[in-house]
Amino acid sequence: MRFSENWRDFEVLDCSGGKKLERWGGITLIRPDPQVIWATPKDKRLWGRADAEYFRSNKGGGSWDFYNSLPETWHINYGDMTFNVKTMGFKHTGLFPEQAVNWDFLRRLIKNSGRKNIKVLNLFAYTGAATVACLKEGAEVVHVDASKGMVQWAKENAALSGVGTGRVRYIVDDCFKFVLREIRRQNKYDIIILDPPSYGRGPGGEVWRLEEQLYGFIKSLSALLSHNAMGLVLNSYTTGLSGAVMKYILDDIVTKEKGGGVAADEIGLRVSSTGGILPCGATAIWTSNGNY
């Protein structure tokens, strides 16, 4: 299990009965988590101080109950990076803290390479935390997401983190169509990052199911890797897609073509009350030198 020990503004205080109690800066939230199948006792002194809680609806979706007045948005820091967060629909806050371990990896990969003019493609890039991490190390980033609102949020995070004027292109587009166009344009990237959804529909009604289409998509992405490519980071929250499966795919496509090696593992967050690690998906990483 890979996880970051460097968080100061975020903390999983406790988790039990399908819920997790989290501290986001000075604000405490309760959110549902299907991985939390244990029913350990809840300390009322902890759980009773929550500022808001998200409740799922039997009809789909859900809503927040606010126990205290909260700002519309607030900031949290991870090292020298700053992010906007807020209570959104479908329980989200605009940031996935478990991904910090991957932000750290990307920064090390770029910094330790000693190379300049590193080109990064960040697909399904959401609010741009990985984009900020790469910009912090001087890389050039192409940030692609289908949501105009998420791309604007990513721009705000970059500005808050002091890299708003970095070498970055923000593109609102369907990631699959963008990749095909980049192949035709013969563009190449040294690092590719992707965090694809488990399920989705394209603007023309196209259906995307991760398990069915990931292999073909990785084959397309391999055509975008430069001759001296450094890495590819594939993240998934799909419970049916294990790290071992993702490793097999990357080895079968990327390692065969480029050499190097692949490592894969679950990623998670430490739970303060127990010291245990809450699993939060998996990541498979290909690197040209096999180091992680």
Side-chain angles (χ1 to χ4, degrees):
M1 179 83 71
R2 298 169 56 240
F3 56 94
S4 172
E5 295 278 27
N6 298 324
W7 272 111
R8 299 294 178 267
D9 281 1
F10 173 84
E11 182 181 9
V12 179
L13 299 168
D14 195 15
C15 51
S16 178
K19 299 180 180 182
K20 54 187 176 183
L21 177 69
E22 305 167 309
R23 178 180 63 81
W24 295 81
I27 293 173
T28 303
L29 304 176
I30 299 174
R31 298 193 294 160
D33 191 319
Q35 295 274 44
V36 182
I37 62 174
W38 47 90
T40 50
K42 294 180 180 178
D43 186 338
K44 292 182 179 179
R45 293 171 297 178
L46 278 177
W47 291 80
R49 293 202 300 264
D51 296 296
E53 181 171 359
Y54 186 87
F55 290 93
R56 292 191 184 277
S57 168
N58 293 331
K59 299 179 181 179
S63 61
W64 288 93
D65 275 7
F66 295 96
Y67 307 132
N68 295 304
S69 178
L70 298 185
E72 183 177 347
T73 65
W74 67 98
H75 300 161
I76 67 169
N77 299 311
Y78 182 75
D80 59 355
M81 302 190 292
T82 302
F83 305 109
N84 260 330
V85 293
K86 63 181 178 180
T87 51
M88 301 166 59
F90 297 100
K91 78 174 183 178
H92 295 304
T93 62
L95 192 69
F96 294 97
E98 65 275 6
Q99 287 295 321
V101 69
N102 289 329
W103 310 334
D104 291 343
F105 166 78
L106 288 163
R107 295 188 67 164
R108 289 194 307 272
L109 181 66
I110 295 168
K111 184 177 182 178
N112 294 342
S113 72
R115 290 169 50 180
K116 296 182 179 180
N117 303 317
I118 293 171
K119 293 184 64 177
V120 178
L121 175 60
N122 188 10
L123 297 169
F124 312 97
Y126 198 49
T127 59
T131 294
V132 169
C134 295
L135 289 172
K136 280 287 185 180
E137 300 303 329
E140 177 184 343
V141 183
V142 175
H143 172 115
V144 187
D145 196 278
S147 168
K148 184 177 181 180
M150 293 300 106
V151 170
Q152 178 57 39
W153 196 334
K155 293 178 181 179
E156 294 168 4
N157 283 337
L160 285 170
S161 297
V163 290
T165 58
R167 296 187 301 166
V168 56
R169 289 173 57 210
Y170 293 100
I171 298 174
V172 179
D173 201 353
D174 177 90
C175 290
F176 311 104
K177 294 180 179 179
F178 176 81
V179 165
L180 294 177
R181 286 198 299 273
E182 287 292 88
I183 292 172
R184 291 195 293 268
R185 290 187 284 244
Q186 297 186 336
N187 284 332
K188 300 291 183 180
Y189 296 90
D190 303 305
I191 298 172
I192 297 177
I193 308 160
L194 67 156
D195 194 348
S198 299
Y199 175 86
R201 288 187 178 272
E206 308 91 339
V207 176
W208 157 264
R209 290 185 178 87
L210 185 61
E211 296 94 328
E212 296 175 5
Q213 294 170 268
L214 180 63
Y215 186 84
F217 190 54
I218 296 297
K219 285 184 73 71
S220 296
L221 286 180
S222 68
L224 293 180
L225 288 169
S226 66
H227 72 279
N228 58 348
M230 300 162 57
L232 187 151
V233 178
L234 168 62
N235 192 74
S236 174
Y237 296 94
T238 304
T239 54
L241 193 66
S242 69
V245 170
M246 293 193 291
K247 181 182 186 305
Y248 196 104
I249 292 172
L250 294 188
D251 271 329
D252 191 58
I253 298 171
V254 185
T255 305
K256 278 185 179 179
E257 180 180 337
K258 298 286 187 180
V262 178
D265 203 349
E266 288 184 285
I267 60 173
L269 293 164
R270 187 176 294 283
V271 180
S272 297
S273 63
T274 65
I277 308 299
L278 175 65
C280 303
T283 302
I285 300 172
W286 169 83
T287 57
S288 58
N289 59 12
N291 296 330
Y292 308 96

